[in-house]
Amino acid sequence: MIPRETFDRGRYSNRVFSGSLSALWKQNCSGEFECESSAPGRINLIGEHTDYNQGFVFPAAISRRTRGLFRISTRMNLYSNPIGPAANLQNFDNIPTRGWTRYVAACAHAIRDELNAFPPLLEGVLDSDLPSGSGLSSSAALEICLISAWNALCKFNLTPEKIAEIAWIAETRYVGVNCGKMDQLAVACGKRAHAMFIDTRSLQFEHVPIPAGIALVVLDTCKSRALAASAYNERVAQCRSAAETLGKTSLRDATLHELESARKRGMDETVYKRARHVITENERVLQFRVALQEADFKKIGELCRQSHESLRNDYNVSSPELDAMARSAWNAPGCIAARLTGAGFGGCCVALVHSDKFKNFERSVKASYGMYAFPVPAIWRVDADDGAKAFLR
Ligand code: ADP
Ligand code: MG
């Protein structure tokens, strides 16, 4: 089989686990597995591009997961269904620049940085029902599934927060995406039936129950993200530049008033717009937290719509597909709120929908999105789920 960099996402989105992991193990590994590990993907309800600005975010771990079986071995032998084997990874001397192998090596290096020694070589198989490259954080799920397995096998006694930290080091220092800590914290520390309000400065978080009767819906445009990594890092740099101009450590501490004054003094217009998104988005997350606790659906809907529009107009990370999807959702029966989720540039929208109206909602979105000449989307319900888990056999 030729290893593929990305999944065939159109089919993959609707995919369920095809066979058992133990059958995969028998086909690809020797001996008996010693550890079973899994990590969820995540959606973000609101608070986009705020986590690398020390701001607020509101993600939830979801009931689609990356799972694996592992054992300590004298050679590296990992196989991920349906992508294929982790190529060219005999040891951790080098970090490949392409393919999923780089995530494995990145995790090993991050563990070395934090625990002063490389983890042992692993034999294992992975499977996932998470689409990859869709903004649902399949990369963090992969990293945290692996680190959790090493944690259990080597009895490192790492807390979920520490596992999140190591995965973040892997992604930023060794994969090269300058992301904040939201994805890793949500994937490691999520809780069933709850979303998470996270202050990414203190890294304190609170689990907030999702009111009964609300369905969480992922609306996958099945459109790959183009130039996502470089465009993402460019946004990070623009935010740094804005904070510097405003004399702040991060945009978390900036006010709209200060920003407007800087604009009058000649701040670059693009940098101004990026900062305006971050400052207003932080405020929306705080309001969303109250609205969710009060089950104020009207307010939740307004905030998510404003968030999407700010991401489109000020942050410039939406796409024609995401805009069409959000519009289709806003007009559909039973919709409480919808917006793009994750970094943008393609990928998914998330919607909060009255559970009893889900079927009508789905039908309506498919019909109105179908009017555009875009690829067929994938629409699925998810539950808010627990974070990563690993068990020794
Ligand atoms: P996202 O995290 O939004 O899904 P990324 O581009 O950050 O998108 O990460 C996607 C990459 O992560 C894939 O191209 C692949 O290299 C790797 N990946 C994710 N899940 C798996 C998996 N189950 N098995 C192997 N590689 C995976
Ligand atoms: Mg990712």
Side-chain angles (χ1 to χ4, degrees):
M1 176 194 253
I2 301 165
R4 274 179 289 152
E5 162 69 326
T6 49
F7 303 121
D8 177 352
R9 294 181 40 250
R11 279 187 303 121
Y12 201 71
S13 263
N14 283 327
R15 180 170 174 265
V16 287
F17 286 108
S18 48
S20 70
L21 268 175
S22 47
L24 262 184
W25 176 273
K26 284 196 188 101
Q27 285 158 20
N28 294 284
C29 301
S30 57
E32 298 287 330
F33 69 87
E34 293 162 1
C35 169
E36 184 171 358
S37 172
S38 82
R42 65 103 192 87
I43 47 175
N44 187 21
L45 300 182
I46 197 162
E48 219 61 79
H49 291 277
T50 47
D51 64 340
Y52 51 82
N53 290 294
Q54 301 192 349
F56 306 112
V57 291
F58 222 114
I62 58 173
S63 48
R64 286 203 175 205
R65 304 178 78 91
T66 296
R67 303 159 203 256
L69 301 176
F70 304 94
R71 77 178 183 107
I72 293 175
S73 175
T74 50
R75 63 183 188 130
M76 207 59 198
N77 172 30
L78 292 179
Y79 182 93
S80 181
N81 189 40
I83 307 179
N88 305 321
L89 192 68
Q90 283 79 40
N91 52 48
F92 305 126
D93 287 349
N94 299 307
I95 301 175
T97 50
R98 297 187 64 252
W100 75 277
T101 309
R102 77 191 140 139
Y103 292 91
V104 183
C107 290
H109 279 257
I111 288 177
R112 192 267 325 266
D113 290 355
E114 291 302 289
L115 306 181
N116 298 319
F118 278 115
L121 302 181
L122 279 188
E123 196 164 6
V125 288
L126 292 135
D127 199 1
S128 181
D129 59 356
L130 258 179
S132 151
S134 290
L136 301 177
S137 235
S138 71
S139 61
L142 170 64
E143 290 155 357
I144 288 177
C145 180
L146 287 167
I147 298 168
S148 301
W150 267 313
N151 185 38
L153 287 164
C154 306
K155 303 195 170 47
F156 288 144
N157 279 325
L158 302 171
T159 61
E161 287 87 342
K162 187 68 192 172
I163 291 175
E165 165 87 11
I166 293 174
W168 176 79
I169 291 171
E171 184 106 21
T172 50
R173 202 174 289 166
Y174 297 109
V175 178
V177 179
N178 296 327
C179 58
K181 294 187 175 153
M182 168 174 76
D183 295 353
Q184 290 78 15
L185 269 175
V187 170
C189 306
K191 181 172 168 183
R192 202 170 70 86
H194 290 70
M196 287 170 80
F197 170 77
I198 308 176
D199 177 339
T200 64
R201 169 171 280 170
S202 64
L203 298 182
Q204 297 287 314
F205 60 81
E206 175 193 318
H207 290 119
V208 183
I210 294 174
I214 291 188
L216 302 176
V217 182
V218 173
L219 305 155
D220 188 352
T221 64
C222 297
K223 178 80 195 282
S224 304
R225 297 175 304 181
L227 297 174
S230 56
Y232 185 95
N233 287 342
E234 182 190 51
R235 298 300 183 285
V236 176
Q238 288 163 335
C239 288
R240 278 202 198 119
S241 154
E244 225 166 80
T245 308
L246 295 169
K248 308 283 182 187
T249 340
S250 77
L251 285 177
R252 157 75 173 270
D253 300 316
T255 64
L256 268 187
H257 181 72
E258 289 165 333
L259 184 67
E260 293 302 335
S261 307
R263 187 189 199 186
K264 285 190 191 122
R265 292 195 306 273
M267 181 184 235
D268 175 85
E269 189 63 15
T270 304
V271 170
Y272 161 78
K273 282 167 75 181
R274 305 295 186 252
R276 185 167 64 179
H277 165 73
V278 173
I279 295 170
T280 56
E281 184 79 349
N282 271 330
E283 179 56 33
R284 282 187 286 272
V285 182
L286 296 174
Q287 291 185 27
F288 185 93
R289 179 192 198 184
V290 178
L292 194 68
Q293 278 159 345
E294 293 176 352
D296 182 347
F297 296 155
K298 187 162 177 283
K299 186 76 186 168
I300 289 172
E302 283 167 12
L303 291 166
C304 287
R305 190 172 181 136
Q306 287 164 9
S307 170
H308 185 93
E309 286 170 351
S310 176
L311 286 161
R312 181 185 65 209
N313 302 334
D314 277 356
Y315 223 64
N316 202 17
V317 294
S318 193
S319 66
E321 292 83 0
L322 287 168
D323 291 341
M325 187 63 91
R327 252 192 324 270
S328 302
W330 292 333
N331 293 329
C335 181
I336 296 167
R339 55 181 285 284
L340 73 84
T341 192
F345 313 106
C348 300
C349 285
V350 63
L352 302 180
V353 178
H354 290 290
S355 303
D356 53 348
K357 302 262 174 56
F358 172 70
K359 278 285 152 209
N360 291 344
F361 170 86
E362 185 186 26
R363 213 172 296 127
S364 167
V365 171
K366 277 187 177 157
S368 62
Y369 191 78
M371 311 283 276
Y372 301 86
F374 296 140
V376 178
I379 300 179
W380 26 281
R381 278 182 75 161
V382 286
D383 295 314
D385 202 1
D386 288 329
K389 299 172 185 185
F391 306 99
L392 288 179
R393 199 173 191 190

